[in-house]
Amino acid sequence: MIKAQDLRKNYGENVAVDGLSFQIAAGETFGLLGPNGAGKTTTISMLVGLLAPDSGTVEVGDASPGESDPTHPKVRTLIGIAPQSLSLYEDLTAKENLRFFGQLYGLSGGHLNERVTWALEFAELNDRKNDRVKTYSGGMKRRLNIAVALIHEPRILLLDEPTVGVDPQSRNHIFESIHRLQKQGMTILYTTHYMEEAQRLCDRVAIVDQGKLLALDSVSGLIANHGGTSVVKAELMGSADPQLVESLHGGSLEGSTVRFESDRPLEQVAELTSKGMQFSTLNIAQPDLESVFLALTGRSLRDG
């Protein structure tokens, strides 16, 4: 559904996107994971034709290359976008916002009324549909922002950091809404700097930093190839043989705390128990996308 090839975009001497290439299949939820300033929003702007790339190409939809340019009106009807900067008119009500954006996409009459009703139910805003948006919480605005993106029944949904500044209830609502869309076969591009969201929602994840693609795979593939080993940290009951601890990969003993790394932590803990090592507490930190980002960049995703 989406093909980006060698995308580049500069703002003066600042390189925002540096040779980014990826493809998104129909029905896939594809994540762009990276810190703020990684080039995610600039990439989305090029995918929808709001920004022209300095070089590289974008194809959207399943038409021939000449008819898949994102600036083409027919192609734009395939796309719904919920930008990070809310695209809402705060002096209008939720219902008025939905009707306005629906009319921009050519909806009218009974069909427009049906879509507005659906969108209000989707966002769970029926009870506030006649209230001005400026009276809404941040989470309610985010939910309406997504509903606006879906008003014209697009085949592709682009979500740019959709949970920024939302309360836990609205965050869970957004996740549930995405799961509903996934079951319906929607193609979704999801940008985030929260690794737990990418792990929870995405079929494949592209890790980007400073405009460059660092890795692209399924979550399990990324972790297996770049995440490193599990880290075991435990408090001991009694003493431990220092030589046994030193024989462990990355093994260290400080007071009664033992730490080591392992590809098979549970098996190794059982082996250590059989050799007389007793634990009062045990913590196993498995690698995740944060570990992957740290391995690829040498810094935490949160530090970006």
Side-chain angles (χ1 to χ4, degrees):
M1 289 296 287
I2 298 177
K3 181 180 180 181
Q5 184 66 39
D6 198 26
L7 290 182
R8 299 178 186 274
K9 186 66 181 179
N10 299 340
Y11 296 103
E13 296 182 356
N14 178 39
V15 180
V17 176
D18 190 4
L20 209 56
S21 296
F22 57 85
Q23 295 187 46
I24 304 174
E28 180 179 21
T29 300
F30 185 91
L32 277 181
L33 176 67
N36 293 328
K40 304 187 299 293
T41 297
T42 298
T43 299
I44 279 193
S45 296
M46 289 189 286
L47 294 182
V48 299
L50 291 176
L51 278 178
D54 294 334
S55 62
T57 59
V58 175
E59 297 177 18
V60 178
D62 46 20
S64 61
E67 298 177 349
S68 56
D69 189 304
T71 61
H72 194 289
K74 288 186 178 180
V75 174
R76 285 189 166 177
T77 63
L78 301 176
I79 303 171
I81 177 170
Q84 184 175 352
S85 298
L86 296 169
S87 58
L88 300 170
Y89 291 96
E90 296 209 340
D91 283 328
L92 299 181
T93 67
K95 185 175 181 180
E96 289 169 340
N97 267 279
L98 289 164
R99 289 189 63 83
F100 172 75
F101 284 102
Q103 288 169 337
L104 289 182
Y105 281 102
L107 305 184
S108 62
H111 187 205
L112 175 60
N113 293 335
E114 289 173 6
R115 293 303 299 163
V116 169
T117 299
W118 176 90
L120 288 168
E121 292 175 354
F122 180 84
E124 295 185 1
L125 290 172
N126 252 323
D127 59 337
R128 297 290 303 276
K129 64 184 178 182
N130 293 317
D131 295 341
R132 293 187 180 186
V133 170
K134 64 183 178 183
T135 67
Y136 286 6
S137 67
M140 293 169 67
K141 291 176 182 178
R142 286 286 170 192
R143 284 149 48 191
L144 180 59
N145 202 46
I146 295 173
V148 164
L150 295 167
I151 190 69
H152 61 296
E153 298 179 270
R155 294 170 57 190
I156 302 168
L157 177 63
L158 307 184
L159 299 172
D160 191 8
E161 301 275 6
T163 63
V164 170
V166 306
D167 58 274
Q169 182 180 357
S170 288
R171 191 167 183 255
N172 286 331
H173 177 273
I174 289 171
F175 292 159
E176 291 170 3
S177 298
I178 291 171
H179 287 311
R180 287 169 56 190
L181 296 171
Q182 288 171 326
K183 291 179 181 179
Q184 296 168 12
M186 178 79 72
T187 303
I188 301 171
L189 173 62
Y190 191 100
T191 83
T192 183
H193 62 275
Y194 298 125
M195 63 92 181
E196 64 274 13
E197 293 186 3
Q199 287 191 201
R200 176 174 178 174
L201 297 171
C202 299
D203 300 309
R204 289 189 302 146
V205 175
I207 296 180
V208 294
D209 189 38
Q210 298 178 346
K212 294 183 178 181
L213 177 66
L214 303 183
L216 196 168
D217 204 340
S218 65
V219 171
S220 59
L222 288 169
I223 292 173
N225 292 323
H226 304 285
T229 56
S230 296
V231 176
V232 179
K233 187 175 181 180
E235 293 295 321
L236 298 174
M237 296 175 60
S239 59
D241 181 354
Q243 290 185 337
L244 179 58
V245 174
E246 290 175 4
S247 70
L248 301 170
H249 179 59
S252 65
L253 180 63
E254 296 183 8
S256 62
T257 302
V258 64
R259 180 190 181 282
F260 63 92
E261 299 175 15
S262 177
D263 290 323
R264 47 185 187 86
L266 293 177
E267 294 178 33
Q268 200 150 18
V269 166
E271 290 173 6
L272 293 171
T273 301
S274 69
K275 294 178 181 179
M277 192 178 291
Q278 296 182 320
F279 306 101
S280 60
T281 65
L282 182 66
N283 179 66
I284 300 176
Q286 295 182 313
D288 54 21
L289 288 181
E290 183 77 31
S291 309
V292 173
F293 190 83
L294 179 62
L296 292 172
T297 68
R299 58 191 174 85
S300 169
L301 186 61
R302 297 287 189 260
D303 294 339

